[in-house]
Amino acid sequence: GDRQQTLSDVEASDLFGPMRLAVAQLTDPNRLEKPSMDRLHYKEYGRIIAGEGTDAARAAVALLGHYYLTGDDALRRQARLLAHGLCDFQVAEVESPHWGAFWDAMATDRRFEDTSSGQTVGVVPAARASYGLHVLNAHFDTELMVRGGQAAAQWLLLKTDINGLPLAERFHVGGPRIPGGSPWAAGDTMTALVETFRSAKNETYLKAAVRSIGALRSRVNDGSLRPETAPTEYLAACIEGVLLVSREYENNDMLAFAKQLGATLRARRQPDGWVTELPDRISPTPLTSGLAAARAALALMRIDNDPVWPLMALRALRAAGKRAEGDYENLPVADLSALASLPIGLL
């Protein structure tokens, strides 16, 4: 009954409109710069952008997904060029303590920087770049993509503690970590490590991801870490990461942990279907929290028949579409990528 009603709602929903508008913006020439024949970059306010708030790898993955959906070879080509362009942002100096990490942006003077025009690199942008490059390489099979994804994963391993949790969210280019940060950032690193394991067939990466889940579960169980304190996007990333690891390392405790985190996420739902962020957390993009929650709900939908998950994803995506109405040309690339890719999981 409830399940059938959920499917009917999905079929009747108008998710195609926002999805099409998002793809149109991701492929808009005004958003793109072509530095060479085999590269594409996104640009915004005079800067070339790839990392936090942009997640160019996710944009390329979204476009590749629409190529599979439509057969439009132009989308496949743009995905390949964006993946090549993303590799321009990787720290390539061998003597650097952050070899393998990714910069967020490039200023007009060709100087790499973070989103605040500072000199830091982040764990989450590197993890998302690594994951995306591995997913893209599974289709394109290019040395550049696989090397970029593996180098980022190696950097992530070096920036985690003995339990597999990130030492910090951001690091100064000279080496030191930036104080603070959330252990929940491990969610994105899990996805990168699992995908690297699948690509390299090296269990070191999978074992590190399993350790990080064990550390999070242990701290939640002893009360030293509460899911209620996790930023919404990190909580959602942890759900997705745990479920990706569980595909390779089947474990009922992992599935139960993902559902436990999902219950915390559900508690943040608003009457209109939106999912809130923590009061003291500044979202990287306007639609971050709701779209992240939809991503997590879609992941949970695959392992749990409870109709609450497709409904949660549907309502969050509908709310995102309403919030984006008439403003697609001003949305950051990261939001557009999610609006372009997530409805496919429902439709």
Side-chain angles (χ1 to χ4, degrees):
D2 287 342
R3 181 67 174 171
Q4 186 59 47
Q5 185 60 46
T6 300
L7 294 173
S8 298
D9 286 345
V10 172
E11 290 167 3
S13 67
D14 184 21
L15 297 180
F16 282 113
M19 190 168 68
R20 285 193 295 265
L21 290 169
V23 172
Q25 283 297 317
L26 288 175
T27 56
D28 185 350
N30 293 321
R31 284 183 178 263
L32 295 161
E33 180 170 296
K34 191 172 185 180
S36 65
M37 288 296 292
D38 66 341
R39 296 282 197 281
L40 268 182
H41 296 147
Y42 281 112
K43 60 183 180 179
E44 185 178 74
Y45 304 122
R47 292 199 302 179
I48 307 302
I49 51 176
E52 186 175 280
T54 302
D55 297 331
R58 282 187 171 178
V61 170
L63 292 176
L64 185 61
H66 277 270
Y67 158 72
Y68 284 126
L69 196 66
T70 65
D72 183 351
D73 199 59
L75 297 174
R76 178 182 181 274
R77 181 172 182 274
Q78 182 167 325
R80 178 172 56 82
L81 296 182
L82 282 171
H84 288 175
L86 171 63
C87 293
D88 292 343
F89 290 80
Q90 191 160 37
V91 178
E93 296 81 8
V94 176
E95 68 277 7
S96 169
H98 301 302
W99 177 84
F102 280 82
W103 290 101
D104 291 321
M106 186 195 302
T108 50
D109 60 0
R110 313 301 290 180
R111 180 176 60 91
F112 287 106
E113 58 189 24
D114 60 30
T115 53
S116 302
S117 302
Q119 291 290 289
T120 69
V121 289
V123 164
V124 171
R128 292 178 182 176
S130 177
Y131 174 79
L133 285 172
H134 282 307
V135 171
L136 292 159
N137 183 67
H139 176 86
F140 293 108
D141 191 22
T142 67
E143 183 67 18
L144 182 64
M145 293 181 201
V146 74
R147 278 193 288 111
Q150 288 187 9
Q154 289 167 19
W155 180 76
L156 291 170
L157 285 180
L158 293 173
K159 301 307 173 187
T160 56
D161 63 21
I162 194 170
N163 296 314
L165 298 180
L167 292 166
E169 283 187 49
R170 284 203 162 263
F171 296 82
H172 189 272
V173 69
R177 59 186 177 184
I178 309 300
S182 170
W184 295 103
D188 279 291
T189 66
M190 289 175 212
T191 62
L193 294 175
V194 171
E195 211 57 51
T196 306
F197 159 72
R198 291 173 177 172
S199 170
K201 304 297 187 291
N202 185 333
E203 289 196 357
T204 300
Y205 299 104
L206 181 61
K207 288 177 179 177
V210 172
R211 276 200 309 276
S212 65
I213 296 172
L216 289 174
R217 282 186 61 239
S218 176
R219 292 182 62 179
V220 168
N221 289 339
D222 69 19
S224 62
L225 185 64
R226 295 170 53 239
E228 293 80 9
T229 66
T232 296
E233 64 165 331
Y234 286 2
L235 188 63
C238 278
I239 292 168
E240 192 173 24
V242 169
L243 293 177
L244 277 173
V245 174
S246 74
R247 292 184 189 178
E248 307 295 334
Y249 190 86
E250 189 61 49
N251 185 301
N252 288 333
D253 288 340
M254 286 188 190
L255 300 182
F257 185 47
K259 292 178 185 179
Q260 179 184 357
L261 299 181
T264 303
L265 202 59
R266 284 171 58 187
R268 299 184 185 181
R269 290 180 302 172
Q270 298 297 296
D272 67 348
W274 196 242
V275 180
T276 58
E277 186 52 271
L278 295 179
D280 59 346
R281 172 78 176 180
I282 300 175
S283 292
T285 69
L287 303 180
T288 295
S289 59
L291 291 170
R295 186 185 300 276
L298 287 171
L300 284 162
M301 187 175 79
R302 299 183 191 112
I303 58 101
D304 187 357
N305 286 328
D306 190 333
V308 70
W309 303 124
L311 278 174
M312 181 174 169
L314 171 61
R315 297 189 68 208
L317 288 173
R318 280 177 168 170
K322 288 180 181 177
R323 287 170 182 245
E325 236 168 44
D327 199 39
Y328 282 84
E329 65 275 10
N330 295 317
L331 287 181
V333 172
D335 287 346
L336 294 168
S337 301
L339 285 167
S341 61
L342 295 179
I344 296 175
L346 276 174
L347 299 171

